[in-house]
Amino acid sequence: GFGFGFGFGFGFGFGFGFGIGLGLRLWLRLGLGPGLAMSKFGRRGRVPEGFEVIEPTLDALENEIRERVNESHDGYRKNEGLWPVHQINWQRTRYVYDMYYKYGRISREVYDYCVRNRIIDGALAAKWKKPGYERLCSTYVINTRNYKFATVSICRVPKYKLPPGTTVEDVTVGCRGCSSGKGGDKNIFGNKYGQYLADIQVARELKLEKQLEEDVRAFSLNPKPLTLSQNLTRTRTLTPTLTPDPHSNPN
């Protein structure tokens, strides 16, 4: 209602695209979209206000891990079929961690809710606060009981300390190197599960906000109704995807 009202206030031409885009965005921001009462995460207790900011991405990751677990593992090496479990656990935890600590897009209440209900790996997130563990892929790789001679995984060895050409790949997690310091790759898995989803989401939101500001400025200078084809193009550009692919980089 707000989107269409706001849009028609500016005139049908510009307002149709702008109204729907801004209206849907505010609709979700205000929690009037797919309501918290309908959230499947609500089964774990009262869902705190603001959880809707991260819920679409968490839903997408939960569906992703379910599909990867159920798919055929024929042709995989031993333990390779479990890589997505470890990697999506890292990505989901890093996403919520960054949305709180890096960008401040969620409250402490939302973050604690995710930890308390094991939506994210609280033990892994706690390790990231300690020097030397900022990029840790899994608590599994630093548990000396999981490796021979009471050591840790090769993925914890800084690349600059390894002989040139050394292949780094933990057999259980699939990590290619998560040590801190110089020489390491940002994407520790070398695939889409090593992407930083909070960075992608915030970049997408900033791009949308910039587009809206440019359109408001352009309309104020030339309030001329748009053609039908221009309206459709603008609507596609401004209307946010309700369930976006979390791995789709807007840049």
Side-chain angles (χ1 to χ4, degrees):
F2 177 81
F4 283 98
F6 187 88
F8 281 112
F10 276 82
F12 179 79
F14 173 76
F16 184 76
F18 181 83
I20 291 181
L22 181 59
L24 280 175
R25 191 160 182 270
L26 291 176
W27 187 55
L28 293 172
R29 280 285 182 94
L30 294 173
L32 301 177
L36 295 183
M38 299 173 60
S39 171
K40 61 185 175 183
F41 294 101
R43 296 193 298 267
R44 310 184 190 194
R46 187 187 67 83
V47 179
E49 182 180 356
F51 185 77
E52 68 275 6
V53 174
I54 58 176
E55 185 174 10
T57 297
L58 294 178
D59 273 336
L61 291 176
E62 184 169 315
N63 293 334
E64 176 88 12
I65 197 169
R66 185 182 299 111
E67 292 174 2
R68 296 304 305 271
V69 168
N70 292 332
E71 71 181 5
S72 173
H73 294 159
D74 292 343
Y76 282 25
R77 292 173 290 174
K78 184 181 179 180
N79 296 328
E80 192 173 348
L82 293 176
W83 286 6
V85 176
H86 290 283
Q87 294 176 6
I88 295 176
N89 176 67
W90 176 90
Q91 187 171 58
R92 179 169 49 197
T93 303
R94 173 57 68 176
Y95 167 67
V96 176
Y97 184 92
D98 285 348
M99 288 294 280
Y100 175 64
Y101 284 104
K102 185 175 181 179
Y103 292 110
R105 295 299 177 100
I106 60 175
S107 65
R108 182 74 198 196
E109 183 183 11
V110 172
Y111 180 81
D112 288 343
Y113 173 85
C114 292
V115 173
R116 185 171 60 253
N117 289 281
R118 298 183 181 180
I119 296 173
I120 65 173
D121 190 335
L124 178 59
K127 285 292 184 182
W128 290 337
K129 301 175 185 178
K130 298 181 180 180
Y133 294 91
E134 297 90 347
R135 301 172 65 244
L136 180 66
C137 65
S138 171
T139 55
Y140 182 94
V141 302
I142 58 173
N143 188 336
T144 56
R145 292 177 295 181
N146 296 328
Y147 298 89
K148 294 180 180 179
F149 312 114
T151 58
V152 295
S153 172
I154 189 174
C155 69
R156 292 298 302 155
V157 181
K159 283 195 173 182
Y160 68 88
K161 291 187 176 181
L162 295 170
T166 301
T167 299
V168 176
E169 189 174 74
D170 181 80
V171 296
T172 302
V173 179
C175 177
R176 299 184 176 185
C178 60
S179 63
S180 299
K182 61 181 181 180
D185 298 323
K186 182 176 181 180
N187 190 320
I188 63 176
F189 303 123
N191 58 30
K192 67 179 182 179
Y193 302 131
Q195 293 179 330
Y196 290 74
L197 299 187
D199 293 352
I200 294 175
Q201 178 170 332
V202 171
R204 183 186 292 125
E205 291 177 353
L206 292 176
K207 182 178 181 180
L208 175 61
E209 290 175 359
K210 182 179 179 181
Q211 184 66 57
L212 291 174
E213 291 174 357
E214 291 176 353
D215 284 339
V216 170
R217 189 179 304 112
F219 181 78
S220 65
L221 296 176
N222 184 27
K224 180 180 178 181
L226 301 180
T227 65
L228 178 60
S229 61
Q230 288 174 319
N231 261 315
L232 293 175
T233 300
R234 188 174 299 279
T235 300
R236 295 191 191 101
T237 301
L238 296 180
T239 304
T241 305
L242 298 184
T243 55
D245 177 0
H247 302 104
S248 177
N249 198 318
N251 298 322

